[in-house]
Amino acid sequence: MATPTTTHTRNGDNNRLDPLALHAGRADAYDEHRAGTNLDTLFSRAEALTLHIDSVNDDYAAYIHGYSAYVAGARAEADQTRRIADQAYAEYLSGGSL
């Protein structure tokens, strides 16, 4: 398995966060999303997790970062899809071509 080139750190220090815990957080958020949990619920969970990030160990902090990263990426993708659809609909209404 290749070593990730990105170094994830906690609070800007030089201690690397565990990449397995980071990916476990992403995987759990992905699984919950694919099981039908909506993005607003996932975002609320991510916010609740990050409230206590300074009081947990590094492995759990990595997990929280991974969970939050998946949620942020999924929300950005959904927002971009919505913007594209809105733009296409506006063009359609104005008589433009798609």
Side-chain angles (χ1 to χ4, degrees), residues 11-56:
N11 299 326
D13 62 18
N14 291 325
N15 298 326
R16 291 188 57 153
L17 294 176
D18 180 10
L20 293 177
L22 187 77
H23 293 298
R26 289 183 71 90
D28 283 353
Y30 173 85
D31 290 344
E32 291 174 19
H33 188 210
R34 294 299 167 219
T37 305
N38 68 39
L39 285 175
D40 290 333
T41 300
L42 291 175
F43 182 74
S44 295
R45 288 179 186 166
E47 280 187 324
L49 288 171
T50 56
L51 290 176
H52 305 288
I53 199 163
D54 291 330
S55 63
V56 298

Side-chain angles (χ1 to χ4, degrees), residues 1-17:
M1 185 168 141
T3 303
T5 57
T6 303
T7 301
H8 300 281
T9 61
R10 182 173 183 187
N11 299 326
D13 62 18
N14 291 325
N15 298 326
R16 291 188 57 153
L17 294 176

Side-chain angles (χ1 to χ4, degrees), residues 21-27 29 61-71:
L22 187 77
H23 293 298
R26 289 183 71 90
Y63 176 89
I64 293 169
H65 282 295
Y67 193 99
S68 299
Y70 175 82
V71 173

